[in-house]
PDB file of all heavy atoms in Angstrom:
ATOM      1  N   GLU A 403     -19.631  18.508  31.930  1.00  0.00           N
ATOM      2  CA  GLU A 403     -18.495  18.069  32.738  1.00  0.00           C
ATOM      3  C   GLU A 403     -17.277  17.785  31.867  1.00  0.00           C
ATOM      4  O   GLU A 403     -16.143  18.077  32.237  1.00  0.00           O
ATOM      5  CB  GLU A 403     -18.870  16.820  33.542  1.00  0.00           C
ATOM      6  CG  GLU A 403     -19.752  17.096  34.744  1.00  0.00           C
ATOM      7  CD  GLU A 403     -19.062  17.985  35.763  1.00  0.00           C
ATOM      8  OE1 GLU A 403     -17.824  18.008  35.816  1.00  0.00           O
ATOM      9  OE2 GLU A 403     -19.775  18.673  36.507  1.00  0.00           O
ATOM     10  N   GLN A 404     -17.532  17.225  30.678  1.00  0.00           N
ATOM     11  CA  GLN A 404     -16.420  16.897  29.791  1.00  0.00           C
ATOM     12  C   GLN A 404     -15.722  18.161  29.286  1.00  0.00           C
ATOM     13  O   GLN A 404     -14.488  18.226  29.242  1.00  0.00           O
ATOM     14  CB  GLN A 404     -16.924  16.052  28.615  1.00  0.00           C
ATOM     15  CG  GLN A 404     -15.845  15.620  27.643  1.00  0.00           C
ATOM     16  CD  GLN A 404     -14.762  14.792  28.292  1.00  0.00           C
ATOM     17  OE1 GLN A 404     -14.971  14.233  29.373  1.00  0.00           O
ATOM     18  NE2 GLN A 404     -13.606  14.718  27.669  1.00  0.00           N
ATOM     19  N   ILE A 405     -16.491  19.171  28.919  1.00  0.00           N
ATOM     20  CA  ILE A 405     -15.873  20.399  28.412  1.00  0.00           C
ATOM     21  C   ILE A 405     -15.140  21.127  29.544  1.00  0.00           C
ATOM     22  O   ILE A 405     -14.075  21.719  29.338  1.00  0.00           O
ATOM     23  CB  ILE A 405     -16.914  21.315  27.727  1.00  0.00           C
ATOM     24  CG1 ILE A 405     -16.219  22.301  26.790  1.00  0.00           C
ATOM     25  CG2 ILE A 405     -17.755  22.075  28.722  1.00  0.00           C
ATOM     26  CD1 ILE A 405     -15.605  21.668  25.571  1.00  0.00           C
ATOM     27  N   ARG A 406     -15.684  21.052  30.771  1.00  0.00           N
ATOM     28  CA  ARG A 406     -14.977  21.627  31.929  1.00  0.00           C
ATOM     29  C   ARG A 406     -13.620  20.945  32.110  1.00  0.00           C
ATOM     30  O   ARG A 406     -12.610  21.593  32.383  1.00  0.00           O
ATOM     31  CB  ARG A 406     -15.806  21.458  33.200  1.00  0.00           C
ATOM     32  CG  ARG A 406     -16.868  22.511  33.409  1.00  0.00           C
ATOM     33  CD  ARG A 406     -17.712  22.167  34.629  1.00  0.00           C
ATOM     34  NE  ARG A 406     -16.901  21.985  35.811  1.00  0.00           N
ATOM     35  CZ  ARG A 406     -16.493  22.974  36.613  1.00  0.00           C
ATOM     36  NH1 ARG A 406     -16.824  24.222  36.323  1.00  0.00           N
ATOM     37  NH2 ARG A 406     -15.779  22.730  37.683  1.00  0.00           N
ATOM     38  N   ALA A 407     -13.614  19.619  31.944  1.00  0.00           N
ATOM     39  CA  ALA A 407     -12.359  18.883  32.103  1.00  0.00           C
ATOM     40  C   ALA A 407     -11.338  19.311  31.056  1.00  0.00           C
ATOM     41  O   ALA A 407     -10.147  19.457  31.353  1.00  0.00           O
ATOM     42  CB  ALA A 407     -12.627  17.379  32.006  1.00  0.00           C
ATOM     43  N   ARG A 408     -11.806  19.519  29.827  1.00  0.00           N
ATOM     44  CA  ARG A 408     -10.879  19.932  28.769  1.00  0.00           C
ATOM     45  C   ARG A 408     -10.353  21.344  29.032  1.00  0.00           C
ATOM     46  O   ARG A 408      -9.190  21.653  28.738  1.00  0.00           O
ATOM     47  CB  ARG A 408     -11.578  19.850  27.414  1.00  0.00           C
ATOM     48  CG  ARG A 408     -11.862  18.406  26.985  1.00  0.00           C
ATOM     49  CD  ARG A 408     -12.756  18.333  25.781  1.00  0.00           C
ATOM     50  NE  ARG A 408     -12.114  18.870  24.585  1.00  0.00           N
ATOM     51  CZ  ARG A 408     -12.751  19.039  23.418  1.00  0.00           C
ATOM     52  NH1 ARG A 408     -14.033  18.719  23.311  1.00  0.00           N
ATOM     53  NH2 ARG A 408     -12.102  19.527  22.389  1.00  0.00           N
ATOM     54  N   ILE A 409     -11.192  22.208  29.591  1.00  0.00           N
ATOM     55  CA  ILE A 409     -10.747  23.563  29.935  1.00  0.00           C
ATOM     56  C   ILE A 409      -9.674  23.496  31.014  1.00  0.00           C
ATOM     57  O   ILE A 409      -8.622  24.152  30.930  1.00  0.00           O
ATOM     58  CB  ILE A 409     -11.943  24.430  30.397  1.00  0.00           C
ATOM     59  CG1 ILE A 409     -12.840  24.763  29.194  1.00  0.00           C
ATOM     60  CG2 ILE A 409     -11.455  25.711  31.069  1.00  0.00           C
ATOM     61  CD1 ILE A 409     -14.151  25.406  29.577  1.00  0.00           C
ATOM     62  N   LEU A 410      -9.927  22.683  32.046  1.00  0.00           N
ATOM     63  CA  LEU A 410      -8.943  22.554  33.120  1.00  0.00           C
ATOM     64  C   LEU A 410      -7.623  21.995  32.599  1.00  0.00           C
ATOM     65  O   LEU A 410      -6.547  22.446  32.975  1.00  0.00           O
ATOM     66  CB  LEU A 410      -9.494  21.655  34.225  1.00  0.00           C
ATOM     67  CG  LEU A 410     -10.685  22.195  35.025  1.00  0.00           C
ATOM     68  CD1 LEU A 410     -11.124  21.184  36.061  1.00  0.00           C
ATOM     69  CD2 LEU A 410     -10.350  23.515  35.689  1.00  0.00           C
ATOM     70  N   ALA A 411      -7.736  20.992  31.717  1.00  0.00           N
ATOM     71  CA  ALA A 411      -6.516  20.381  31.178  1.00  0.00           C
ATOM     72  C   ALA A 411      -5.708  21.371  30.351  1.00  0.00           C
ATOM     73  O   ALA A 411      -4.481  21.266  30.271  1.00  0.00           O
ATOM     74  CB  ALA A 411      -6.879  19.162  30.338  1.00  0.00           C
ATOM     75  N   SER A 412      -6.398  22.344  29.718  1.00  0.00           N
ATOM     76  CA  SER A 412      -5.694  23.324  28.887  1.00  0.00           C
ATOM     77  C   SER A 412      -5.239  24.544  29.685  1.00  0.00           C
ATOM     78  O   SER A 412      -4.594  25.438  29.143  1.00  0.00           O
ATOM     79  CB  SER A 412      -6.607  23.784  27.742  1.00  0.00           C
ATOM     80  OG  SER A 412      -7.635  24.646  28.211  1.00  0.00           O
ATOM     81  N   SER A 413      -5.596  24.588  30.982  1.00  0.00           N
ATOM     82  CA  SER A 413      -5.273  25.759  31.798  1.00  0.00           C
ATOM     83  C   SER A 413      -3.847  25.661  32.330  1.00  0.00           C
ATOM     84  O   SER A 413      -3.494  24.690  33.005  1.00  0.00           O
ATOM     85  CB  SER A 413      -6.246  25.865  32.975  1.00  0.00           C
ATOM     86  OG  SER A 413      -5.780  26.802  33.925  1.00  0.00           O
ATOM     87  N   PRO A 414      -3.022  26.665  32.053  1.00  0.00           N
ATOM     88  CA  PRO A 414      -1.652  26.628  32.593  1.00  0.00           C
ATOM     89  C   PRO A 414      -1.629  26.673  34.116  1.00  0.00           C
ATOM     90  O   PRO A 414      -0.701  26.160  34.740  1.00  0.00           O
ATOM     91  CB  PRO A 414      -0.992  27.875  31.982  1.00  0.00           C
ATOM     92  CG  PRO A 414      -2.126  28.757  31.557  1.00  0.00           C
ATOM     93  CD  PRO A 414      -3.273  27.861  31.219  1.00  0.00           C
ATOM     94  N   LYS A 415      -2.648  27.269  34.731  1.00  0.00           N
ATOM     95  CA  LYS A 415      -2.669  27.351  36.190  1.00  0.00           C
ATOM     96  C   LYS A 415      -3.050  26.017  36.819  1.00  0.00           C
ATOM     97  O   LYS A 415      -2.589  25.680  37.907  1.00  0.00           O
ATOM     98  CB  LYS A 415      -3.646  28.442  36.643  1.00  0.00           C
ATOM     99  CG  LYS A 415      -3.183  29.845  36.271  1.00  0.00           C
ATOM    100  CD  LYS A 415      -4.041  30.906  36.922  1.00  0.00           C
ATOM    101  CE  LYS A 415      -3.504  32.301  36.609  1.00  0.00           C
ATOM    102  NZ  LYS A 415      -4.282  33.362  37.270  1.00  0.00           N
ATOM    103  N   TYR A 416      -3.917  25.239  36.123  1.00  0.00           N
ATOM    104  CA  TYR A 416      -4.327  23.961  36.692  1.00  0.00           C
ATOM    105  C   TYR A 416      -3.138  23.011  36.784  1.00  0.00           C
ATOM    106  O   TYR A 416      -3.006  22.253  37.736  1.00  0.00           O
ATOM    107  CB  TYR A 416      -5.430  23.319  35.852  1.00  0.00           C
ATOM    108  CG  TYR A 416      -5.988  22.063  36.481  1.00  0.00           C
ATOM    109  CD1 TYR A 416      -6.938  22.144  37.487  1.00  0.00           C
ATOM    110  CD2 TYR A 416      -5.540  20.806  36.094  1.00  0.00           C
ATOM    111  CE1 TYR A 416      -7.435  21.016  38.093  1.00  0.00           C
ATOM    112  CE2 TYR A 416      -6.030  19.660  36.688  1.00  0.00           C
ATOM    113  CZ  TYR A 416      -6.985  19.770  37.684  1.00  0.00           C
ATOM    114  OH  TYR A 416      -7.467  18.636  38.275  1.00  0.00           O
ATOM    115  N   ALA A 417      -2.274  23.064  35.782  1.00  0.00           N
ATOM    116  CA  ALA A 417      -1.115  22.161  35.773  1.00  0.00           C
ATOM    117  C   ALA A 417      -0.227  22.393  36.990  1.00  0.00           C
ATOM    118  O   ALA A 417       0.435  21.478  37.469  1.00  0.00           O
ATOM    119  CB  ALA A 417      -0.316  22.361  34.491  1.00  0.00           C
ATOM    120  N   ALA A 418      -0.235  23.624  37.499  1.00  0.00           N
ATOM    121  CA  ALA A 418       0.625  23.949  38.639  1.00  0.00           C
ATOM    122  C   ALA A 418      -0.075  23.725  39.979  1.00  0.00           C
ATOM    123  O   ALA A 418       0.528  23.892  41.034  1.00  0.00           O
ATOM    124  CB  ALA A 418       1.071  25.415  38.546  1.00  0.00           C
ATOM    125  N   LEU A 419      -1.368  23.348  39.935  1.00  0.00           N
ATOM    126  CA  LEU A 419      -2.134  23.172  41.166  1.00  0.00           C
ATOM    127  C   LEU A 419      -1.824  21.804  41.766  1.00  0.00           C
ATOM    128  O   LEU A 419      -2.111  20.776  41.189  1.00  0.00           O
ATOM    129  CB  LEU A 419      -3.631  23.281  40.859  1.00  0.00           C
ATOM    130  CG  LEU A 419      -4.590  23.330  42.041  1.00  0.00           C
ATOM    131  CD1 LEU A 419      -4.380  24.596  42.849  1.00  0.00           C
ATOM    132  CD2 LEU A 419      -6.014  23.243  41.553  1.00  0.00           C
ATOM    133  N   THR A 420      -1.220  21.774  42.928  1.00  0.00           N
ATOM    134  CA  THR A 420      -0.874  20.490  43.541  1.00  0.00           C
ATOM    135  C   THR A 420      -2.018  20.004  44.423  1.00  0.00           C
ATOM    136  O   THR A 420      -2.802  20.797  44.938  1.00  0.00           O
ATOM    137  CB  THR A 420       0.392  20.634  44.401  1.00  0.00           C
ATOM    138  OG1 THR A 420       0.166  21.641  45.396  1.00  0.00           O
ATOM    139  CG2 THR A 420       1.574  21.020  43.546  1.00  0.00           C
ATOM    140  N   SER A 421      -2.100  18.693  44.598  1.00  0.00           N
ATOM    141  CA  SER A 421      -3.150  18.108  45.430  1.00  0.00           C
ATOM    142  C   SER A 421      -2.853  18.388  46.897  1.00  0.00           C
ATOM    143  O   SER A 421      -1.802  18.000  47.400  1.00  0.00           O
ATOM    144  CB  SER A 421      -3.227  16.601  45.202  1.00  0.00           C
ATOM    145  OG  SER A 421      -3.583  16.313  43.882  1.00  0.00           O
ATOM    146  N   PRO A 422      -3.775  19.028  47.609  1.00  0.00           N
ATOM    147  CA  PRO A 422      -3.549  19.261  49.039  1.00  0.00           C
ATOM    148  C   PRO A 422      -3.485  17.938  49.794  1.00  0.00           C
ATOM    149  O   PRO A 422      -4.148  16.981  49.444  1.00  0.00           O
ATOM    150  CB  PRO A 422      -4.783  20.074  49.459  1.00  0.00           C
ATOM    151  CG  PRO A 422      -5.364  20.597  48.192  1.00  0.00           C
ATOM    152  CD  PRO A 422      -5.039  19.596  47.142  1.00  0.00           C
ATOM    153  N   ARG A 423      -2.684  17.904  50.829  1.00  0.00           N
ATOM    154  CA  ARG A 423      -2.507  16.691  51.621  1.00  0.00           C
ATOM    155  C   ARG A 423      -3.454  16.713  52.812  1.00  0.00           C
ATOM    156  O   ARG A 423      -3.549  17.711  53.523  1.00  0.00           O
ATOM    157  CB  ARG A 423      -1.061  16.622  52.103  1.00  0.00           C
ATOM    158  CG  ARG A 423      -0.705  15.371  52.885  1.00  0.00           C
ATOM    159  CD  ARG A 423       0.766  15.393  53.273  1.00  0.00           C
ATOM    160  NE  ARG A 423       1.121  16.596  54.004  1.00  0.00           N
ATOM    161  CZ  ARG A 423       0.939  16.750  55.319  1.00  0.00           C
ATOM    162  NH1 ARG A 423       0.404  15.791  56.037  1.00  0.00           N
ATOM    163  NH2 ARG A 423       1.301  17.876  55.918  1.00  0.00           N
ATOM    164  N   PRO A 424      -4.176  15.614  53.070  1.00  0.00           N
ATOM    165  CA  PRO A 424      -5.045  15.570  54.254  1.00  0.00           C
ATOM    166  C   PRO A 424      -4.251  15.782  55.537  1.00  0.00           C
ATOM    167  O   PRO A 424      -3.061  15.468  55.624  1.00  0.00           O
ATOM    168  CB  PRO A 424      -5.635  14.157  54.194  1.00  0.00           C
ATOM    169  CG  PRO A 424      -5.540  13.756  52.763  1.00  0.00           C
ATOM    170  CD  PRO A 424      -4.294  14.396  52.248  1.00  0.00           C
ATOM    171  N   LEU A 425      -4.919  16.304  56.565  1.00  0.00           N
ATOM    172  CA  LEU A 425      -4.275  16.614  57.837  1.00  0.00           C
ATOM    173  C   LEU A 425      -3.845  15.362  58.587  1.00  0.00           C
ATOM    174  O   LEU A 425      -4.503  14.323  58.527  1.00  0.00           O
ATOM    175  CB  LEU A 425      -5.247  17.375  58.748  1.00  0.00           C
ATOM    176  CG  LEU A 425      -5.609  18.816  58.421  1.00  0.00           C
ATOM    177  CD1 LEU A 425      -6.596  19.324  59.457  1.00  0.00           C
ATOM    178  CD2 LEU A 425      -4.377  19.701  58.389  1.00  0.00           C
ATOM    179  N   THR A 426      -2.748  15.499  59.312  1.00  0.00           N
ATOM    180  CA  THR A 426      -2.405  14.501  60.323  1.00  0.00           C
ATOM    181  C   THR A 426      -3.140  14.876  61.613  1.00  0.00           C
ATOM    182  O   THR A 426      -3.685  15.980  61.751  1.00  0.00           O
ATOM    183  CB  THR A 426      -0.900  14.484  60.594  1.00  0.00           C
ATOM    184  OG1 THR A 426      -0.521  15.752  61.164  1.00  0.00           O
ATOM    185  CG2 THR A 426      -0.112  14.255  59.315  1.00  0.00           C
ATOM    186  N   ALA A 427      -3.133  13.958  62.576  1.00  0.00           N
ATOM    187  CA  ALA A 427      -3.773  14.248  63.862  1.00  0.00           C
ATOM    188  C   ALA A 427      -3.094  15.437  64.545  1.00  0.00           C
ATOM    189  O   ALA A 427      -3.766  16.320  65.101  1.00  0.00           O
ATOM    190  CB  ALA A 427      -3.729  13.014  64.755  1.00  0.00           C
ATOM    191  N   GLY A 428      -1.770  15.468  64.495  1.00  0.00           N
ATOM    192  CA  GLY A 428      -1.050  16.584  65.117  1.00  0.00           C
ATOM    193  C   GLY A 428      -1.371  17.910  64.476  1.00  0.00           C
ATOM    194  O   GLY A 428      -1.530  18.937  65.164  1.00  0.00           O
TER     195      GLY A 428
END
Side-chain angles (χ1 to χ4, degrees):
E403 284 297 335
Q404 181 59 19
I405 200 69
R406 277 175 55 85
R408 291 170 66 187
I409 289 170
L410 293 179
S412 73
S413 167
K415 293 189 176 182
Y416 186 81
L419 189 65
T420 58
S421 297
R423 183 178 55 83
L425 289 179
T426 64

